[in-house]
Amino acid sequence: MFGVVHLPTYLAGVALIVLLPGPNSLYVLSVAARRGVRAGYTAAAGVFCGDTVLMTLSAAGVASLLQANAVLFGIVKYAGAGYLTWLAIGMMRAARRMWRTRRERQPEETAEAAVATEERPYRRALVVSLFNPKAILFFVAFFVQFVDPGYAYPALSFVVLGAFAQVASVLYLSALIFGGTRLAAAFRRRKRLSATATSAAGVLFLGFAVKLSLAS
């Protein structure tokens, strides 16, 4: 079908890949838990756009260029690790502010408005997605296994494979978003819980940054 081979195997692989935790899904969950469904889908849109760009670059052969050029790969890798580190520090600072003000009765609307002015979920999720050279290399290594080399329109094959991957991503991120909104009520009632969860997210993002910086 459209130059795609072994489709059931591909779908099983995509399901496993999407379910693996990563900075994109963790950020969407964090935004949904703190700001609700609408903000969660705003962040998810950034992930979808970032993944689409990566898939397009992979189909165009950019991943092979990164794989062959160690200097270029290093630039993208450390830029991505630096951005993830910056996000981790921001989360930890926010958690410290929550802990300091845990006994204050600040109006919920005022607190949410302050967060909204400081954070741009779409832009952050997009950058997190784009600065991920391992994802680019993975897409090209994974996709090519399911494209018929004899098919006359390989670009169409990549579009079909990418569409299946995006549908799986939409379903998974939607589950995270609605699960995150259930956590939101508990976070609003318990500032200690909110501060702890935000700190944990910051630590995980720092771990993602270290893992990315060690990628080869």
Side-chain angles (χ1 to χ4, degrees):
M1 182 182 70
F2 302 111
V4 176
V5 296
H6 308 302
L7 183 59
T9 304
Y10 171 76
L11 294 178
V14 165
L16 291 174
I17 293 159
V18 168
L19 290 175
L20 288 175
N24 294 348
S25 57
L26 179 61
Y27 181 68
V28 171
L29 176 62
S30 172
V31 170
R34 289 182 285 110
R35 297 180 55 184
V37 172
R38 183 174 180 179
Y41 272 110
T42 300
V47 173
F48 301 147
C49 291
D51 286 349
T52 300
V53 171
L54 292 184
M55 292 176 191
T56 303
L57 293 176
S58 298
V62 173
S64 299
L65 177 63
L66 284 177
Q67 195 170 24
N69 191 320
V71 175
L72 182 59
F73 180 80
I75 291 173
V76 177
K77 177 178 71 172
Y78 289 116
Y83 187 73
L84 291 177
T85 301
W86 180 73
L87 285 181
I89 293 173
M91 289 180 176
M92 292 176 181
R93 291 176 62 186
R96 188 172 68 174
R97 286 196 300 269
M98 292 177 193
W99 184 260
R100 286 180 174 178
T101 61
R102 65 188 183 280
R103 292 189 178 88
E104 297 178 7
R105 296 185 176 277
Q106 184 181 18
E108 227 173 78
E109 295 79 4
T110 304
E112 290 180 357
V115 172
T117 59
E118 295 176 0
E119 187 176 18
R120 298 291 184 269
Y122 174 84
R123 185 176 63 187
R124 287 194 175 185
L126 177 64
V127 175
V128 167
S129 297
L130 291 178
F131 279 105
N132 194 346
K134 289 188 69 177
I136 300 176
L137 297 177
F138 168 78
F139 278 131
V140 74
F142 188 64
F143 278 13
V144 295
Q145 299 178 45
F146 302 95
V147 176
D148 184 357
Y151 188 64
Y153 307 102
L156 181 58
S157 304
F158 277 96
V159 169
V160 173
L161 293 173
F164 279 119
Q166 290 290 49
V167 169
S169 181
V170 168
L171 295 176
Y172 178 59
L173 291 180
S174 295
L176 291 182
I177 288 168
F178 286 102
T181 55
R182 290 174 178 254
L183 297 174
F187 286 164
R188 291 192 182 102
R189 289 194 305 267
R190 299 180 174 179
K191 288 189 176 181
R192 288 185 179 182
L193 177 61
S194 182
T196 302
T198 304
S199 298
V203 171
L204 286 175
F205 264 76
L206 195 58
F208 288 133
V210 172
K211 184 178 180 181
L212 179 56
S213 67
L214 297 176
S216 60

